[in-house]
Structures are given as structure tokens and as C-alpha cells.
Amino acid sequence: MHPKALLDACAELVRLTLNFEHPADGVVSRFFRDHRSFGPRERATLAETAYTVLRKKLLFEQLARSGSGPRERRLAILGFHGPRDFLKSALTETEKSWLDQCDSVAPADLLEPHRHNLPEWLVQPLKRQVGQGFWALADSLSQAAPLDLRVNDLNAKRADVQKELAKAGIPAVPTPYSPWGLRVEGKPALTRLDAFVRGAIEVQDEGSQLLALLLQARRGEMVVDFCAGAGGKTLAIGAAMRSTGRLYAFDVSAHRLDALKPRLARSGLSNVHPAAIAHERDERIKRLAGKIDRVLVDAPCSGLGTLRRNPDLKWRQSPQGVQELVAKQTAILESAARLLKPGGRLVYATCSILPEENEGIAEAFSAAHPDFIAEDVGGLLAQLKVENPEHLCSGGASGTGYLRLWPHLHQTDGFFAAVWTRKD
């Protein structure tokens, strides 16, 4: 494709994503559906350019002030994902000179907001939590995430799949914590691989795999994935149960559960029962009260732990939105807890990095439910043979260890989990 035409397309996609009317991944997908002539290489350039602009929005907006022409074009030039020579062949002489000036700006000369590229309301909560690690965290959040796979150990072994991927020209290394994970460099096409087609692998962040591991679901049990979504953790739990027992995948979105169906078919699992519910107090849930062995609540949250993948969230989310989510998280956890039989395990998790969605919810639940014993997550991970479990945990106000994963420390998305056992 001609460089000028590709840059024009990048500018248009940047304009659409910066409207923030819809999630960026949906905007990009719709753009590609409307422009089917783009090949894989052009699509990669377009998507990565838009995502780079979202990641470094404050910096690029500052640099763009000294340029000329449409704002979205200037931003697309600054975030262009491709060879510099290719880009410059699409620029005017004035634009080339301006871009050279931008390239010469030293990071040390930038103001803090242009270095961290985070909304101000998010900066102080993160600084309070990670202290001197803030800049390492901010840097990690501005990078693209690696690609993690979960090997379906119902029908495959990690070492065998690793060799199979290597033969296909896709180097992968075992994830350091999850016993099911492989980490892949770049973004190779996976959907045509035999390993994918036969259900031996699924794309899933290592942190998400650890949430399923923590539930420790066993053969023959009754288990609920309360906010199943597209079912990534459901599939991991079902495999851990060796496709026995009964695993309910509940979600308020039938559309999200529809995305589980092809994945479920590939997985070979026969114990999963997806069900759309109206709300957390649905009659289907009431009928199961006191009957369930294990419940995972991967609660709807701000998603701010996934900024490497979804950088638009930091601009679309707000403190008010977080407070609304906290009320929803509290209600969902309350309803989910009623499902547990005595001796049952409850796991509350988010992909947020904000304490009010994490420790705040967990501490309030523990205070209100003396019949639920908070478990030390570090101890549970050690029992599960996870290496260096103490590196994955932080202490709560009650002294109980929670799972706390950070992109800059663990190379996963930001995750939180708390675990309770219901008293006999």
C-alpha cells in the first residue's frame, strides 16, 4: 500500500478511537470490517499506531502543538508503527523537519504527565501503592503486553505444545508461575495452527490462569464461574476438573457467553453449563444457594490492570465510574457467597490495580461475614507448587495475604484475588 494512503488511514483510525464512544478494540475491528482491502501487515500498522497514540496521548498531544495540519494526522505521525523511512516518504518537508525536532526531545526534559501518560486522578493512588516503583509501572503500562497461552492439560502437555509451536516457527517459553502457561514473542497468527483448532491452546494472560488455579476445583464438584464473560477462566477450571462434575458459567451478557461456545467446542469439555442471568439475584442463582463447592467471582471492574492491552480505558474510566463499580462489586460478591456450601471456597478477583476495587472490597466482606475465613493466598499458591509465591502476594489490613500482580513486577496484567473458606 502507498505510504500516503496508509498514513491517511492511520489518521482516520486515530480520530475514531479518540472519540472514546466505544472500546478501542471494537472501533478497530469495525474499521477493519469496513475496509477489507487491508492486508495483515497494514492492519498491524493501523492497530499498533492507534494503540500507541492511546498509550502516549498526553506526550503526543504536547508534541503535536508545534506541528501543523489536522490533529489526528500529527498524532498518527508521532505514533506510526513502522519503519521511519517508510513514514517519511509520506510526509511533506515541513512535517519531516517537525518530526525530527520531536524525535530529538529527551525524556528527561519532559514534564511528569508527558512521561507517565496517565490521567491525574490515577497517578496518586498508584504512587501510594508502589512508591518508587511508580515509574517502572508507568513504563510497563505504556508497552504492549506479551502474548500468553494456556495449554489445555485435559488433552495436551505444555512441553509437547512448546515443541509443536517451535516447529511452526513460534518460539515460546514456559510462564514462570502458571503451570499451564506459555509466553510467545510478538503476535503470531494462531487460529490456523493445529494446536489451536484441536483445543490444545487458548490465549489467556498468566495472571488470569492463576485465578483459575487458586479456585483449586476438583473432580466431581459443583462449581460456579459467577462472571464468566467469554469463558477463558471457565475453560481452565473445567480442565482442572477433568471434565467431570458440573461447572456453571453465569454472566449477565448472553452476547459474551456466545463467544464461549466455539471455545468450549474446541476444548473437549463436557461439564460446562453456560447460562445468561438477569442480575446477581437471578432465580437460577437462588436455586443453587448452599449447594456449590467453589465459586469464582471475577467481578466487573475498571480493567485498569489491562492498560497494556486496553490503553483507552485510562481515558474512558473516571473516579465516579469506579465508585459505581465498587457498589456493583459489593452486591455481586454478596450474592455469590450465598451459593457456597459449608467448607466451600470463594475467590474474589479483579483485573484492577485500584485498592478500592480490591482490598477495600475484600476487607469489607470479611468484616461483614464472620462465617467466611480469609485464606492466605501465598500459602495456597505454595501448596499448588507455584514458584516464589511470596513475590505474588501483599498483606491486607487483617494480615491475610492477597494475590497482587503488577505488570512491572510479574509481566502479567494487573490482578487481585482474595480467597475465603465458608465455615463448616
Side-chain angles (χ1 to χ4, degrees):
M1 184 178 233
H2 195 279
K4 288 184 178 178
L6 185 56
L7 180 58
D8 287 346
C10 285
E12 175 60 11
L13 183 55
V14 165
R15 185 185 68 79
L16 292 170
T17 54
L18 289 180
N19 284 337
F20 298 121
E21 291 175 4
H22 302 285
D25 57 352
V27 173
V28 171
S29 295
R30 194 173 303 113
F31 188 81
F32 290 159
R33 283 198 301 273
D34 293 343
H35 300 82
R36 296 185 182 274
S37 60
F38 294 124
R41 192 171 295 177
E42 286 95 359
R43 287 177 177 228
T45 296
L46 282 155
E48 288 305 317
T49 297
Y51 274 76
T52 300
V53 171
L54 289 167
R55 288 189 181 102
K56 300 188 175 181
K57 178 172 170 283
L58 297 183
L59 171 61
F60 288 174
E61 285 177 338
Q62 175 64 20
L63 295 173
R65 290 178 182 176
S66 60
S68 58
R71 170 178 174 260
E72 58 266 21
R73 179 180 171 87
R74 282 174 276 157
L75 295 173
I77 291 169
L78 290 165
F80 189 80
H81 186 80
R84 257 310 188 245
D85 291 346
F86 182 89
L87 170 62
K88 285 192 170 183
S89 67
L91 304 183
T92 65
E93 291 304 316
T94 302
E95 287 174 329
K96 288 177 193 174
S97 175
W98 166 72
L99 181 59
D100 287 340
Q101 288 177 345
C102 293
D103 287 343
S104 69
V105 175
D109 295 336
L110 296 172
L111 296 174
E112 275 204 5
H114 306 144
R115 288 171 60 201
H116 61 57
N117 286 283
L118 294 165
E120 204 51 47
W121 68 270
L122 194 51
V123 173
Q124 291 311 315
L126 294 182
K127 283 186 174 180
R128 279 195 297 271
Q129 290 184 88
V130 298
Q132 292 182 335
F134 172 77
W135 288 106
L137 172 62
D139 184 57
S140 71
L141 292 175
S142 72
Q143 309 294 319
L147 180 65
D148 289 352
L149 308 177
R150 179 185 59 81
V151 174
N152 179 2
D153 70 347
L154 188 68
N155 60 23
K157 288 185 167 59
R158 179 162 69 169
D160 294 340
V161 172
Q162 185 182 9
K163 290 174 188 171
E164 185 179 343
L165 292 175
K167 284 182 183 175
I170 302 172
V173 296
T175 47
Y177 308 111
S178 168
W180 308 318
L182 288 170
R183 183 157 293 156
V184 175
E185 284 299 316
K187 294 186 177 176
L190 299 171
T191 54
R192 293 179 183 174
L193 291 177
D194 182 60
F196 182 87
V197 173
R198 71 174 192 273
I201 54 171
E202 278 284 342
V203 174
Q204 187 178 32
D205 185 78
E206 183 182 21
S208 188
Q209 295 178 38
L210 289 176
L211 300 185
L213 189 71
L214 267 177
L215 194 65
Q216 216 171 343
R218 297 193 171 110
R219 292 173 183 265
E221 290 185 331
M222 295 262 284
V223 179
V224 168
D225 186 353
F226 203 81
C227 307
K233 283 174 282 295
T234 307
L235 298 175
I237 295 163
M241 296 168 71
R242 313 312 295 170
S243 198
T244 65
R246 197 168 184 87
L247 172 55
Y248 294 97
F250 290 137
D251 203 274
V252 293
S253 169
H255 177 69
R256 281 199 296 266
L257 285 174
D258 284 342
L260 168 59
K261 290 176 183 176
R263 303 172 79 186
L264 186 56
R266 285 195 306 271
S267 73
L269 295 172
S270 58
N271 63 337
V272 177
H273 301 270
I277 57 174
H279 43 68
E280 71 271 11
R281 302 175 309 284
D282 193 286
E283 279 301 318
R284 286 174 185 250
I285 293 163
K286 288 182 180 177
R287 288 199 293 269
L288 293 173
K291 298 177 181 177
I292 303 299
D293 295 287
R294 295 168 199 269
V295 177
L296 171 63
V297 180
D298 183 13
C301 69
S302 64
L304 293 167
T306 69
L307 290 182
R308 301 178 307 166
R309 303 172 200 283
N310 304 298
D312 56 311
L313 284 177
K314 61 186 173 183
W315 310 119
R316 296 175 61 235
Q317 198 52 266
S318 68
Q320 180 187 356
V322 170
Q323 288 312 307
E324 291 169 2
L325 284 164
V326 165
K328 184 183 289 188
Q329 290 154 356
T330 302
I332 288 172
L333 183 56
E334 189 76 27
S335 291
R338 297 191 188 111
L339 294 171
L340 266 293
K341 62 168 63 169
R345 176 174 293 184
L346 174 63
V347 177
Y348 170 79
T350 76
C351 54
S352 173
I353 45 182
L354 292 177
E356 54 263 52
E357 297 184 83
N358 296 330
E359 289 89 350
I361 297 285
E363 299 291 347
F365 180 84
S366 289
H369 295 84
D371 55 329
F372 279 79
I373 304 163
E375 300 285 354
D376 176 51
V377 171
L380 295 176
L381 292 173
Q383 291 171 22
L384 290 162
K385 304 290 193 291
V386 173
E387 289 193 21
N388 302 313
E390 67 279 3
H391 295 164
L392 307 178
C393 298
S394 66
S398 62
T400 302
Y402 299 127
L403 181 75
R404 231 355 174 130
L405 302 177
W406 295 93
H408 67 300
L409 296 178
H410 308 110
Q411 288 71 58
T412 66
D413 286 342
F415 276 105
F416 171 87
V419 181
W420 297 269
T421 300
R422 187 166 200 168
K423 286 183 182 175
D424 286 328

